[in-house]
Amino acid sequence: DEIVQAPKDDINLPDKKKIKSSDYSIIAMNCAATKQFTKSVEYSTKAIELDKENQEYYFERATYYIQLKNYQKALADCHKAIEIDGEDL
């Protein structure tokens, strides 16, 4: 697997139609690895916008919200993930 580097600033991404939700998720995880949790939330949100039924993206974003001490949004994302598929936890 290719490792995607976390962006230092806003990055120019290619045509958004070609970017998959999983690409945004990987970028979000790499941002988190460098403690850029605000960026992680931004990229997780983009992943969710492309795949609203992927509960993993909501759980991932919840962990970034927790790091930012935004517990209400983290809880909301956890509830949404459970709503999508509570049996697959």
Side-chain angles (χ1 to χ4, degrees):
D1 288 338
E2 181 180 337
I3 297 174
V4 178
Q5 295 296 317
K8 293 185 183 352
D9 297 312
D10 286 339
I11 57 174
N12 293 324
L13 296 173
D15 182 6
K16 289 184 180 182
K17 292 179 183 176
K18 296 180 183 177
I19 297 173
K20 298 181 288 188
S21 58
S22 59
D23 296 330
Y24 283 124
S25 178
I26 290 168
I27 294 170
M29 286 186 268
N30 282 312
C31 289
T34 58
K35 301 191 185 310
Q36 297 178 67
F37 299 113
T38 300
K39 290 276 187 195
S40 294
V41 167
E42 290 174 25
Y43 286 108
S44 291
T45 300
K46 290 179 184 208
I48 290 168
E49 288 170 356
L50 292 176
D51 187 358
K52 292 179 182 2
E53 297 303 310
N54 188 323
Q55 74 184 104
E56 290 181 27
Y57 297 154
Y58 288 95
F59 277 127
E60 287 173 9
R61 189 171 68 177
T63 63
Y64 308 141
Y65 278 134
I66 289 168
Q67 292 297 319
L68 294 169
K69 298 186 181 351
N70 192 333
Y71 303 116
Q72 288 299 109
K73 287 187 177 183
L75 186 60
D77 275 355
C78 288
H79 282 292
K80 181 63 178 176
I82 291 167
E83 178 186 309
I84 291 169
D85 189 0
E87 292 186 18
D88 192 31
L89 298 176

